[in-house]
Amino acid sequence: MAVVRRCSNHLLSLFLSTETLMDSTTATAELGWTVYPWEEVSGYDENMNTIRTYQVCNVFDNNQNNWVRTKYIRRRGAQRIHVEMKFSVRDCSSIPNVPGSCKETFNLYYYESDADTATRTSPAWMENPWIKVDTIAADESFSQVDLGGRVMKINTEVRSFGPVSRNGFYLAFQDYGGCMSLIAVRVFYRKCPRIITNGALFQETLSGAESTSLVAARGVCIPNAEEVDVPIKLYCNGDGEWMVPIGRCMCKAGNEAVENGTVCRACPSGFFKPTQGDEPCMQCPINSRTTSEGAINCVCRNGYYRTDSDPLQMPCTTVPSAPQNVISSVNETSVMLEWMPPRDSGGREDVVFNIICKSCGGGRGGCTRCGDNVQFLPRQLGLTETRVYISDLLAHTQYTFEVQAVNGVSDQSPYSPQYASVNITTNQAAPSTVSIMHQVSRTVDSITLSWSQPDQPNGVILDYELQYYEKNTQRFWGVLSTR
């Protein structure tokens, strides 16, 4: 059964998502429709342009059954057909002596066929086999006064029918006692246009067979985009409008959406985009560059680095310069070191300090690393403060301390950290005891002894003190000093 749908005339005339199957106003010669018994004449539209029209005005005879049939119209895949009709109707009350059978309406019919097989008598001029769409009534009718003043009162009505499934169809207009002129007929179907939305391309899609139909269309991601949510769908409604979007595509990493989201363009040189999404490409941070278009990150310039945890938007950084103004305060076998931060942190805020301890002199030829017995407070490596207390040093010993400045990218540099150094000598302290003594010779009243220097002289030894006792007694006899 045909489903009648009334449409807004004004909106329809401006509707862009349509495809015209037939338009009588484009004819340059006679339309050649089959009449029974309408008359084809030249007329005028509302803009006074000459057009071909069909007229009938048999109002004085009862039982009228006047038909006019279009030529065969191929549906071209459409499932629902829309008909726009422009017509004028004479006001029955303005016609003198008109009988009561005068009408101000007419009927619209259609007939489906797989081929152009109609003749003057087939299909028969009746409702069956023809399918009625609707009875069309005029919003305005004209009178004799309007004719005298050449006032055009043209009505525009739109009806639709479906579903249609044959290769084509005919339209017919039935007058049953009116005085009217069929000025223009346009036959069309609605479609949703080719569109790019949500990062996907949807091809042109015909509306469904019913006015309430929703025809699903699958989208394809535009170049350099990838699916985020699937499936990617839009629905084409009966008015030829896209609606109910499902899923979307987003530009891949290294590409940004331009031209209102219809194109995913590779990031230009000097710009990058690390992830998929709608965000624009970002300019490379300081001290970095790209090697090609469509970059997902920027590489650091020579001498600059980035840690694994650094955001890609962060500038590339370098190693810090050396600490400044190292001062020392020696206290016997300990020392307090203090310094100023480096003039250049390398562009980072994670600068810490390492202490390298070297013991120099002692006849061992140059400086060597301090042993594990040396204590650092709070610690030797990774200092965040600019001071350190060092203890358990050897007395009267030369030391060199290097204060290194390092940051998060120092381990990526091929060069050793920059440092400032200070040389100190610890104070003298009491030497350790003599561990071994030897008898060299003896006489009746004398003895000669020898011994090695203490393991830890802790300074310059001026002399040795020798205490002696009587054997097997605790009687103290005396003290001798010797150099």
Side-chain angles (χ1 to χ4, degrees):
M1 176 179 291
V3 178
V4 178
R5 179 173 179 274
R6 298 180 182 271
C7 307
S8 169
N9 300 336
H10 177 65
L11 290 177
L12 180 63
S13 65
L14 299 178
F15 207 91
L16 299 179
S17 301
T18 63
E19 188 75 23
T20 298
L21 299 174
M22 189 273 290
D23 188 349
S24 65
T25 63
T26 61
T28 58
E30 290 186 357
L31 294 172
W33 293 357
T34 303
V35 294
Y36 180 78
W38 292 54
E39 180 183 7
E40 182 176 357
V41 297
S42 292
Y44 300 93
D45 61 14
E46 62 268 36
N47 298 316
M48 301 307 293
N49 297 316
T50 302
I51 56 175
R52 301 296 294 179
T53 69
Y54 283 90
Q55 295 180 357
V56 65
C57 194
N58 298 331
V59 296
F60 293 100
D61 297 326
N62 294 325
N63 302 320
Q64 293 295 304
N65 185 29
N66 306 311
W67 293 67
V68 57
R69 184 186 70 211
T70 66
K71 291 183 176 180
Y72 186 67
I73 303 171
R74 295 193 176 275
R75 68 181 180 93
R76 304 211 302 253
Q79 299 181 67
R80 187 166 193 85
I81 305 300
H82 300 261
V83 182
E84 180 187 68
M85 299 158 286
K86 293 185 179 182
F87 59 95
S88 61
V89 176
R90 177 76 179 269
D91 185 350
C92 286
S93 63
S94 71
I95 304 175
N97 303 319
V98 69
S101 60
C102 180
K103 306 295 184 183
E104 295 179 3
T105 60
F106 64 95
N107 292 327
L108 171 65
Y109 293 89
Y110 75 96
Y111 175 83
E112 287 193 79
S113 175
D114 285 325
D116 184 9
T117 58
T119 65
R120 292 192 60 84
T121 58
S122 177
W125 303 108
M126 61 182 63
E127 184 163 333
N128 187 6
W130 289 92
I131 300 174
K132 185 176 179 178
V133 178
D134 200 8
T135 296
I136 313 299
D139 293 328
E140 291 185 299
S141 58
F142 66 91
S143 64
Q144 187 65 37
V145 175
D146 297 324
L147 289 173
R150 301 184 65 83
V151 176
M152 295 288 293
K153 289 186 177 179
I154 297 178
N155 298 274
T156 302
E157 293 289 334
V158 178
R159 299 292 185 270
S160 65
F161 58 89
V164 289
S165 58
R166 300 291 185 88
N167 293 337
F169 57 91
Y170 301 92
L171 294 181
F173 305 89
Q174 180 198 27
D175 162 64
Y176 47 97
C179 188
M180 62 171 293
S181 176
L182 189 59
I183 297 171
V185 177
R186 185 170 75 95
V187 183
F188 62 94
Y189 61 88
R190 289 181 174 167
K191 61 182 180 180
C192 291
R194 180 182 184 272
I195 189 176
I196 295 177
T197 185
N198 289 341
L201 169 64
F202 295 87
Q203 296 293 347
E204 178 181 284
T205 302
L206 303 186
S207 61
E210 305 294 339
S211 59
T212 56
S213 296
L214 291 178
V215 179
R218 293 295 299 266
V220 178
C221 291
I222 61 177
N224 298 319
E226 56 193 1
E227 295 178 347
V228 177
D229 301 310
V230 293
I232 305 168
K233 285 185 181 180
L234 274 183
Y235 287 89
C236 182
N237 70 9
D239 290 326
E241 298 170 331
W242 290 112
M243 59 186 303
V244 197
I246 299 176
R248 64 178 314 191
C249 301
M250 285 186 176
C251 293
K252 297 179 182 178
N255 295 268
E256 62 181 345
V258 296
E259 299 181 22
N260 294 323
T262 60
V263 174
C264 286
R265 181 184 66 187
C267 295
S269 179
F271 289 77
F272 76 108
K273 183 171 160 232
T275 59
Q276 68 170 205
D278 298 327
E279 300 80 12
C281 297
M282 297 176 287
Q283 189 168 8
C284 283
I286 298 172
N287 303 322
S288 66
R289 61 184 177 83
T290 58
T291 57
S292 63
E293 293 184 347
I296 61 175
N297 58 25
C298 299
V299 297
C300 295
R301 298 185 184 277
N302 289 337
Y304 291 87
Y305 314 95
R306 182 183 287 122
T307 69
D308 293 338
S309 60
D310 285 344
L312 296 176
Q313 300 89 336
M314 177 177 169
C316 292
T317 53
T318 189
V319 298
S321 58
Q324 306 177 86
N325 305 326
V326 180
I327 59 174
S328 62
S329 178
V330 180
N331 183 15
E332 294 185 351
T333 58
S334 64
V335 62
M336 173 70 79
L337 298 180
E338 297 182 275
W339 58 90
M340 297 292 291
R343 185 181 305 276
D344 182 3
S345 67
R348 303 186 65 85
E349 298 180 357
D350 56 0
V351 176
V352 294
F353 306 96
N354 299 329
I355 308 300
I356 305 300
C357 173
K358 296 180 180 180
S359 175
C360 303
R364 288 173 288 182
C367 299
T368 59
R369 288 288 185 104
C370 297
D372 295 339
N373 59 299
V374 177
Q375 302 298 311
F376 298 82
L377 188 67
R379 57 189 169 275
Q380 181 179 5
L381 304 177
L383 293 166
T384 56
E385 301 293 331
T386 56
R387 64 167 61 98
V388 66
Y389 178 71
I390 308 169
S391 60
D392 292 348
L393 300 173
L394 298 177
H396 197 63
T397 304
Q398 293 182 1
Y399 287 93
T400 295
F401 294 99
E402 298 176 357
V403 183
Q404 297 177 340
V406 297
N407 61 16
V409 297
S410 293
D411 59 348
Q412 299 188 46
S413 171
Y415 306 105
S416 299
Q418 298 194 48
Y419 64 89
S421 63
V422 61
N423 299 317
I424 63 111
T425 301
T426 52
N427 297 334
Q428 296 189 92
S432 61
T433 60
V434 174
S435 59
I436 300 176
M437 183 180 294
H438 300 280
Q439 176 183 299
V440 177
S441 63
R442 69 177 178 173
T443 62
V444 173
D445 56 358
S446 68
I447 188 171
T448 302
L449 302 173
S450 68
W451 56 86
S452 301
Q453 183 173 307
D455 293 336
Q456 298 179 4
N458 293 334
V460 178
I461 296 178
L462 300 178
D463 54 30
Y464 293 92
E465 184 179 271
L466 179 66
Q467 297 180 359
Y468 58 95
Y469 302 84
E470 184 176 351
K471 185 176 180 182
N472 298 325
T473 70
Q474 294 298 320
R475 183 181 175 184
F476 178 65
W477 280 29
V479 176
L480 297 176
S481 295
T482 183
R483 292 183 179 277

